[in-house]
Amino acid sequence: MESVTPLFSHPDRTEPANRSGLTWQPSDYESLVDGIREGLDLPALASRLGRSSNGVSTRLRRLLPLAQRDCLFDQVLPTLRSALADPGYDWRAEMLLSPPPAPIIHQEVIRTGLDGLSDDQVVTVAYALLASGGREEGELLDQLRERLKTDDLIERLIGMRAQRAVRCSPFSIDEDSAWAHASYWVRGRSSYSSWQRRRRAEPVW
């Protein structure tokens, strides 16, 4: 039995070698540009170069004009195709350009109200509120109380009271008595015993 000879013979189709992960050569970019000008889409470009679509899309973005490299993913190839349609577009020069570094933004925190007061101002305001002793002053003092505790300003407030007591009293007041009175005035009766224990461990004021 005679063998049947096909009328049309198809040459063997060889798939391009897988070159994913290999260094890109100038010839790769030239082949990529040629493919874009021929109208190939992303899968066809990747097949021609033997690389992954993700790898090719990254290189496509590098070929874009610097001002357009942040365009959306689906606009990369159309934008590049439009740029390459201009015979004067120098894609090799564009590849050498790098975007400027992102600006460093220093955010200035501006505190207002009670949070905007300095430590010295907090102590002065707290002293004035304690001296006033009114209900509204007490409500405002409650807002400052956490700041006084957090920033260790209680001792400074006691010190201010003690110094003023020594200066303003018509009688001679020793420093220990002034501190005791000031601590009582700032903290209240419940803190007097704890103040005595703390004062014994402190150097002379």
Side-chain angles (χ1 to χ4, degrees), residues 114-129:
L114 295 178
D115 289 337
L117 298 176
S118 67
D119 287 350
D120 289 339
Q121 291 171 331
V122 168
V123 173
T124 301
V125 170
Y127 184 94
L129 294 173

Side-chain angles (χ1 to χ4, degrees), residues 3-192:
S3 60
V4 179
T5 303
L7 294 178
F8 303 98
S9 59
H10 299 280
D12 295 336
R13 294 182 179 178
T14 57
E15 295 291 332
N18 186 353
R19 303 183 63 243
S20 296
L22 298 180
T23 302
W24 280 67
Q25 302 297 327
S27 58
D28 293 321
Y29 290 104
E30 292 171 0
S31 178
L32 183 59
V33 170
D34 290 341
I36 295 169
R37 286 174 171 159
E38 293 170 15
L40 299 183
D41 60 8
L42 181 58
L45 291 170
S47 177
R48 170 180 286 191
L49 293 168
R51 297 180 183 271
S52 67
S53 294
N54 288 337
V56 171
S57 65
T58 301
R59 303 293 166 162
L60 290 177
R61 196 175 288 275
R62 293 186 185 180
L63 295 173
L64 282 171
L66 184 60
Q68 296 176 302
R69 289 185 190 172
D70 290 333
C71 67
L72 297 175
F73 175 79
D74 59 352
Q75 295 300 311
V76 171
L77 189 53
T79 304
L80 183 54
R81 201 184 306 280
S82 176
L84 290 172
D86 179 6
Y89 180 66
D90 191 350
W91 58 269
R92 293 181 180 86
E94 287 294 330
M95 284 185 60
L96 299 177
L97 300 178
S98 300
I104 300 175
I105 301 176
H106 297 283
Q107 294 185 345
E108 182 180 359
V109 179
I110 301 177
R111 300 182 183 274
T112 59
L114 295 178
D115 289 337
L117 298 176
S118 67
D119 287 350
D120 289 339
Q121 291 171 331
V122 168
V123 173
T124 301
V125 170
Y127 184 94
L129 294 173
L130 282 167
S132 299
R135 179 177 178 181
E136 293 182 358
E137 288 83 353
E139 293 175 355
L140 186 56
L141 183 62
D142 287 339
Q143 299 179 42
L144 282 177
R145 206 176 298 278
E146 189 63 31
R147 171 84 180 271
L148 290 167
K149 292 179 180 178
T150 302
D151 296 345
D152 295 327
L153 301 179
I154 295 292
E155 294 298 325
R156 290 174 59 175
L157 183 56
I158 294 173
M160 176 182 287
R161 177 65 178 180
Q163 290 173 8
R164 293 192 178 186
V166 171
R167 288 201 307 264
C168 299
S169 176
F171 306 103
S172 176
I173 303 177
D174 63 86
E175 294 175 357
D176 284 343
S177 298
W179 270 91
H181 169 77
S183 181
Y184 174 81
W185 188 76
V186 172
R187 299 179 184 274
R189 296 179 184 274
S190 61
S191 66
Y192 182 70

